[in-house]
Structure formats: structure tokens, C-alpha cells
Amino acid sequence: MGAIYIHIPFCKQACHYCDFHFSTSMGKKAEMILALQKELQLRKGEFRDEVVETIYFGGGTPSLLSVDELTHIIRAVYTHYKVGENPEITIEANPDDLSRDKIIGLGSSPVSRLSIGIQSFFDRDLKWMNRAHTGEEARKCLSVAREYFDNITIDLIYGIPGMDHKRWRENLDMVLEYNIPHISAYALTVEPKTALDKFIRSGKAPAPDETHAGEQFTILTDVLRHKGFVHYELSNFGKEGYFSRNNSSYWLGKKYLGIGPSAHSYDGRNRSWNVANNAIYLKSLNKGELPQETEVLTTTDRYNEYIMTGLRTIWGVSLKRLEEDFGTGYYRYLLKETKKYLDNGLLDIRGEVLRTTVKGKFLTDGIASDLFYVD
């Protein structure tokens, strides 16, 4: 079983915190759509033995494409790949793109899941992040989307400077009012070379406070747990039956194919990625070439990745699988390195599975990186 990710590299404007690949110039949109279909055709041999379970449109802002444009790309997947019954087909969307007509059109298309980038319902936060939509647009699009889609997830960001705990709780309360079955919530991070990074270094904006973010993470997990959400991955919360099938495939180590500029792929042993440049990508595809680089993952690379992805999820790190896949040396190394985290209650081993505790959850990424094996 496999997943296909399709990167749509266009946005209306740049969010201050974002370091994903995109362009605010849409003059090459039609050419890009043809190139994406061409790449799908050229790479069909890589998934010859796979059944596609999920198709995910990310970006960038996929909702800038029309329903017809999205449908053409989806048809290309069905033409060149074996697609399972009832695949999860997700499109990331911004509220300002989701008019009633657009939502109705998506509801009539093969798209089965909406991932809506709300981030906050408050205009002061949205302006601070340089988001293109308003709080009113966020609320309006959710009201309409619930009429036509059952499977909806929304993104929220916490730890924003100036967002106090009261406003963060109000954000969560608004989500719950719409009976949204899945929430992805991320701590605001400062990525190098972003506008936010420049603002902080020049003193024009305050840096996020880790303690403040940690407190809001605790509020988040407490509120959603009491509302019946399962905290199945560090940043993801879903009602039963609404976990992201696409993202779960990444965390469980399944194969995935990344289509479009900057998109990454994984076949179980190798990782490859397309050039993060629209012009070079288009030029290459026009010549029938793949603008790709490939890295052969070492045993240590795969071990470290398993530690990171495993600890972030409720499925944890299987000590039995780890010893079988990576050998006794890595198994003993992990047990030695985890001792201090087991002793201070940040990690726990039950049923031969290593997991973070409630106390250690917010620190997961730091703990995982400390457990990495360094050659």
C-alpha cells in the first residue's frame, strides 16, 4: 500500500512563518498542472506493485486550483496507478478560497477530505502571521464545509506571541462548536530565512516562548482528551475513524511518492526529492526528465527515522521490531540511552513498546533526537 503526495507550489502571499516551497506568481499555473500529470506518468513504474490508498494535495495552497484542475490531476493518478477502493483524497485549503460554490464543487469531485488552514479565528493573530484570510472567513467556510463534507481537519497554531491562554481556549472552543473530527495543532516555530526569523533578529517581533507554548500544548491536550479526541501523533488529534490515513502512512514507514517541485519520496530504502524551483522543474518535465536527487538511507538513517516517527505516535517504538530490523547493537544502544528518560518519567515501556508519557509528550522531538545513533 502506498501514498501519493502532490505539491501545488503557489500561494497568494507568504505567511511570515512559512518555509515551504511556493511562488506568489501564478503565470505558469496551467503549465505546472500539465507537468504534474507528466511526472505522474513518468514515475508510474515506481509504484507498479503498490495500491494507492491516499492522494494528498499539499503546498503551497492547492485550493487556488479550480475543481476541474484538481480533477484532471486525480484522473492522471487513476490512469497510471492502481488505486484502492474509497481512497482518502485530501486537499489543503485556505478559508478565503472556500466560497460556497467552491465547496459544493469539491463536494461533487473525488476529493473526500478537506484540510483547512485556519491557524486562528482571531484577526490580530492572522495579521501577525500575514495570513490571507480573516476570522470571519474562517468561521463562514467551516459552516458551509460541514454541510458538504464529513471528513474535515483544520490546522491551528499555538505559542503565538501575544496570544494568551484565554484566546487559545477560545480558539479551541470555536473548533468544537463546528464538530470538526480532526485537528492538527502546531507550536509556532521560527524557521531560518523566513520573514519571522528576520523580524525577530531585527527586534521587530518577539521570539516565541517555549514555556508559553508548552502551557498551551497542555491546554490543547486536556481540552481535546475530554472531548473524545485521540492524541494519536504529537501534533494530531482525531475522533475514532478520522485519523489521517495519508499522514499515518508516513509515520508507519509505508512507501510514498512525492509529485511536484520540492516533493519528497520514500521507497523503504531510499529517499528522493524534486528540485525546489518551479522554472527548473517545468523545464525538466517538458524534456521528459525528472529533476530529482536520491539518497540511499543507511541503517543508522532508518533507525533514527524510526525513533523519531515512532515516538511521535501512539504506536510507539516496538523494541521487538527494532531488534529484528536493525540488530542487537542498536537495540542495546536504545535501552542504554533511554534509561534517564525512563527514570524521570518522560518515557515508558509497556508490552515491549517504548512511548513518551503525558509528561514527556511536548518534549518528544528533543528526546527522540537525543536517542539518535551517531556513527
Side-chain angles (χ1 to χ4, degrees), residues 37-54:
Q37 294 174 71
K38 180 68 172 179
E39 187 184 356
L40 283 164
Q41 179 186 359
L42 291 174
R43 299 183 67 186
K44 62 184 179 182
E46 298 178 40
F47 257 37
R48 184 180 296 109
D49 301 321
E50 301 297 323
V51 176
V52 176
E53 294 179 303
T54 67

Side-chain angles (χ1 to χ4, degrees), residues 20 47 59 70 166 169-170 184 199 206 228 235 257-259 286 289 310 322 328 338 355 372:
F20 294 155
F47 257 37
L70 290 165
K166 178 177 180 293
R169 287 182 181 276
E170 289 173 350
S184 296
F199 293 156
S235 301
L257 197 65
I259 303 296
N286 285 337
E289 298 173 356
L322 186 139
T328 303
T338 56
R355 298 183 179 90
F372 285 174

Side-chain angles (χ1 to χ4, degrees), residues 179-197:
N179 196 28
I180 302 299
H182 188 282
I183 297 168
S184 296
Y186 305 95
L188 179 69
T189 56
V190 183
E191 302 296 343
K193 300 181 180 179
T194 59
L196 180 57
D197 179 40

Side-chain angles (χ1 to χ4, degrees), residues 103-140:
I103 292 170
I104 292 172
L106 289 170
S108 301
S109 78
V111 172
S112 59
R113 184 172 182 265
L114 292 182
S115 175
I116 306 176
I118 301 293
Q119 315 310 354
S120 174
F121 289 95
F122 293 91
D123 288 344
R124 69 185 82 174
D125 301 325
L126 297 171
K127 289 177 182 177
W128 192 87
M129 293 183 280
N130 201 39
R131 295 290 292 171
H133 68 277
T134 65
E136 177 60 28
E137 286 173 321
R139 292 185 287 273
K140 184 177 179 180

Side-chain angles (χ1 to χ4, degrees), residues 232-253:
Y232 71 102
E233 194 272 341
L234 180 61
S235 301
N236 287 270
F237 305 76
K239 295 288 185 72
E240 291 289 351
Y242 290 94
F243 295 2
S244 170
R245 289 162 56 191
N246 178 80
N247 291 349
S248 294
S249 69
Y250 299 159
W251 301 321
L252 295 174

